[in-house]
Amino acid sequence: MKITTVRHGETDWNVAKRIQGSVDTELNEAGIYQAKLLSERLSAEPCDIIFSSDLLRAKKTAEIINTRHNVPLITSPNLREAGFGEFEGQCISDAKVRAAFGEYMDNNVVPYFAKVHAYLDEILRSGHNNIFLVGHFGTVRAIICYLLQIPAENRSRYTVGNTAIHTFEKMDNGDFHMTLENDTAHLGANLK
């Protein structure tokens, strides 16, 4: 079994360093271009099915990827970014916001990860061998922690860029091994 995770392409809020959370922002022009480059990159990779967040930025990224695969595409709120309440729309570059948001995340990450992990359990039991998962910064971190059996409090060691690819292969003992981490080579030097 091979799992490929992808974060959505760039949005205007990414550029402005605004906290998106569950706000349904769309890909900007650069994000659409990034998703097209990603689609080309993944075109030779086997894929049985794509699961995606139902938020526009992830769904559009998944649809662009699927132009090369034409496989079933299932969207779900279970792969959405966490809702960040009052922090949504605020700039993470503001030191006070960053500190308060960090504390908020430390207190709320475990229930969010549990929701993603429960859905991932369903996906892994679906019988598919080559699965693409398209989501968000937090979604991908939750999946990494789940597949590598890492506690949620250690999530910050993993970076997840726009359209970054992480791949995992299931070993004979049933554990997953990460074979590709935060790979954005398809973007070239100018789009990272």
Side-chain angles (χ1 to χ4, degrees):
M1 175 183 281
K2 183 176 180 181
I3 307 290
T4 301
T5 67
V6 174
R7 182 182 175 199
H8 62 79
E10 183 184 271
T11 69
D12 287 340
W13 280 29
N14 290 139
V15 175
K17 305 233 183 286
R18 292 195 178 281
I19 298 169
Q20 292 180 102
S22 59
V23 175
D24 206 6
T25 56
E26 296 187 41
L27 297 178
N28 61 21
E29 189 175 319
I32 291 170
Y33 182 62
Q34 290 170 345
K36 288 177 180 177
L37 293 173
L38 174 67
S39 178
E40 289 176 28
R41 167 87 183 276
L42 293 174
S43 64
E45 294 295 322
C47 179
D48 305 332
I49 191 166
I50 300 173
F51 291 91
S52 173
S53 161
D54 62 347
L55 293 178
L56 290 172
R57 57 195 185 267
K59 183 180 174 195
K60 182 66 174 178
T61 301
E63 289 170 347
I64 292 170
I65 292 168
N66 203 25
T67 61
R68 301 288 184 133
H69 288 88
N70 197 28
V71 297
L73 170 58
I74 298 172
T75 61
S76 172
N78 293 310
L79 292 175
R80 283 183 178 184
E81 184 64 277
F84 300 134
E86 66 185 76
F87 293 102
E88 292 182 344
Q90 294 191 46
C91 287
I92 197 70
S93 56
D94 179 291
K96 288 181 183 177
V97 170
R98 189 170 50 254
F101 182 62
E103 183 177 328
Y104 173 87
M105 286 304 299
D106 288 343
N107 293 329
N108 292 282
V109 72
V110 171
Y112 169 67
F113 273 32
K115 179 188 87 162
V116 174
H117 294 172
Y119 189 59
L120 191 53
D121 276 339
E122 291 178 35
I123 290 170
L124 294 177
R125 289 193 304 266
S126 69
H128 298 284
N129 287 317
N130 297 293
I131 301 167
F132 287 3
L133 301 172
V134 183
H136 308 269
F137 187 87
T139 311
V140 174
R141 276 187 166 178
I143 293 167
I144 291 169
C145 288
Y146 179 88
L147 293 177
L148 299 183
Q149 301 174 27
I150 296 169
E153 53 269 12
N154 294 338
R155 69 193 180 281
S156 61
R157 72 169 76 159
Y158 296 100
T159 302
V160 185
N162 287 113
T163 69
I165 302 167
H166 291 77
T167 58
F168 306 85
E169 292 185 13
K170 194 170 189 178
M171 300 182 300
D172 291 341
N173 66 1
D175 291 342
F176 281 90
H177 172 69
M178 185 159 41
T179 56
L180 197 61
E181 182 177 349
N182 196 42
D183 189 312
T184 57
H186 51 281
L187 298 181
N190 296 327
L191 292 174
K192 289 183 183 179

